[in-house]
Amino acid sequence: MRQTNKFRLKFERRPEQEQQRPVNRLERRIYALFSDIHANLEAAEAVVKDMMREGVTDRVCLGDIVGYGADSSACVDFIQGLGCPTLLGNHDAEAAEERIFNTLNEGAKAGIFLARKQLDRAQKSYLLNRPYALRNDHFEATHASLHSPSAWRYIIDDNEAEKHFQEQTMTVCFFGHTHYPCIWEREENGNIELYAGMSQFVLKEGCRYLVNTGSVGQPRDRNNKACYVIYDHEAKRVIWRRVEYDITRVQEKIIDAGLPDNNARRLSNGR
């Protein structure tokens, strides 16, 4: 991995092992990759229960644990308790660094301010010590993009996808940030295609892929169910899982915390 814009990526190469269930080396590895919890504890708990039912052996959190919702502190504790590799998201960085920001909307800012009040020093330190990217034997992962990751770029068009692919060294990379489940395919001739709206996708030989896991806590694809990805490396299959959770309870918490009404309303609409 080369440097980009004089910024060196931090890679996490070995998963934390505290609460990951023991895996026999001969056992088939089934990965769950999830992102953008955004202080939605009920959604996080629901997807982890679904992972257990689906026989997941390894979990990876792609960041943005906090913000928008009412349970930032509880969600940080929950993710730490899983003991899985976890990456830094932009909302995590904003909440933990307590720096001035200008690019976030009012709902996002309100969630960040609440997170700053909720998180203790140890939790903020945990977030700030998360790497921007991860690489293991089977895939890469990042929160936003491998191209200038600290800029938190949004991969929403072919141009941004190509900038990312120039930094991607493995066949598949997983990301979050846009809250929109989809997959970018780059053929050997450089042609890029975007696929969205599928429940699963089988990777083809000779192509590279950039997979968006969707959002656990604030989906934006007009589907209000929590979203995450299961990756079967041996089968080269990506599956997007949709999981129901108690949206009404989460909305009540958001209103009771004094957060903007839209932070609650959008959960029902999946936007």
Side-chain angles (χ1 to χ4, degrees):
M1 178 65 65
R2 68 173 184 270
Q3 292 186 33
T4 51
N5 293 351
K6 299 182 180 179
F7 184 87
R8 185 178 298 277
L9 293 182
K10 294 192 293 182
F11 278 98
E12 180 174 300
R13 294 181 177 275
R14 292 192 301 172
E16 299 158 343
Q17 297 294 333
E18 290 89 338
Q19 300 298 323
Q20 293 273 45
R21 75 178 182 85
V23 177
N24 187 308
R25 289 187 178 183
L26 298 179
E27 183 179 2
R28 188 169 185 163
R29 308 298 285 270
I30 306 295
Y31 294 93
L33 300 105
F34 60 106
S35 188
D36 298 278
I37 297 165
H38 285 301
N40 186 333
L41 183 61
E42 283 74 9
E45 292 175 337
V47 298
V48 170
K49 289 179 181 178
D50 190 71
M51 293 171 192
M52 296 173 66
R53 289 191 294 266
E54 292 299 309
V56 165
T57 61
D58 298 83
R59 294 181 290 252
V60 180
C61 176
L62 306 186
D64 269 5
I65 302 170
V66 307
Y68 280 114
D71 282 324
S72 286
S73 178
C75 284
V76 171
D77 285 345
F78 182 73
I79 295 302
Q80 282 189 278
L82 295 179
C84 63
T86 300
L87 304 181
L88 179 69
N90 56 307
H91 285 252
D92 303 327
E94 295 279 11
E97 290 180 343
E98 301 198 6
R99 58 187 172 86
I100 298 174
F101 45 76
N102 299 308
T103 59
L104 298 178
N105 61 52
E106 292 306 310
K109 288 180 181 179
I112 292 296
F113 285 130
L114 179 60
R116 289 176 177 175
K117 293 178 181 178
Q118 290 183 347
L119 300 176
D120 62 28
R121 184 176 299 177
Q123 289 173 318
K124 291 177 181 179
S125 176
Y126 166 77
L127 293 176
L128 288 178
N129 280 289
R130 298 307 90 200
Y132 286 99
L134 171 153
R135 182 193 294 133
N136 63 21
D137 292 337
H138 298 147
F139 57 82
E140 291 173 284
T142 189
H143 180 69
S145 173
L146 292 181
H147 175 68
S148 302
S150 64
W152 309 114
R153 306 176 76 94
Y154 285 89
I155 302 177
I156 56 175
D157 56 37
D158 289 0
N159 182 54
E160 285 297 329
E162 176 59 24
K163 289 177 181 178
H164 165 91
F165 277 122
Q166 292 302 315
E167 307 301 329
Q168 182 176 323
T169 61
M170 302 186 72
T171 298
V172 61
C173 179
F174 296 91
F175 77 116
H177 197 43
T178 67
H179 299 216
Y180 190 80
C182 63
I183 184 167
W184 297 87
E185 177 185 80
R186 189 182 193 277
E187 299 176 337
E188 289 182 300
N189 63 8
N191 182 58
I192 292 177
E193 295 287 346
L194 172 63
Y195 300 93
M198 304 89 54
S199 61
Q200 59 181 290
F201 191 96
V202 178
L203 310 184
K204 297 185 297 188
E205 291 293 332
C207 296
R208 284 188 291 157
Y209 293 93
L210 175 59
V211 181
N212 193 291
T213 66
S215 170
V216 170
Q218 196 192 81
R220 296 179 186 172
D221 60 335
R222 299 182 184 273
N223 183 334
N224 63 17
K225 295 179 181 178
C227 187
Y228 76 98
V229 155
I230 290 178
Y231 178 52
D232 184 334
H233 169 71
E234 290 186 20
K236 302 300 181 187
R237 186 184 303 275
V238 175
I239 300 171
W240 286 268
R241 295 285 300 168
R242 304 308 294 242
V243 183
E244 293 183 347
Y245 69 94
D246 190 347
I247 293 176
T248 300
R249 175 58 180 147
V250 176
Q251 291 172 321
E252 291 172 348
K253 286 183 176 181
I254 288 172
I255 298 304
D256 290 346
L259 292 165
D261 290 351
N262 189 53
N263 287 22
R265 285 197 305 267
R266 67 188 306 170
L267 296 180
S268 294
N269 303 324
R271 298 180 61 183

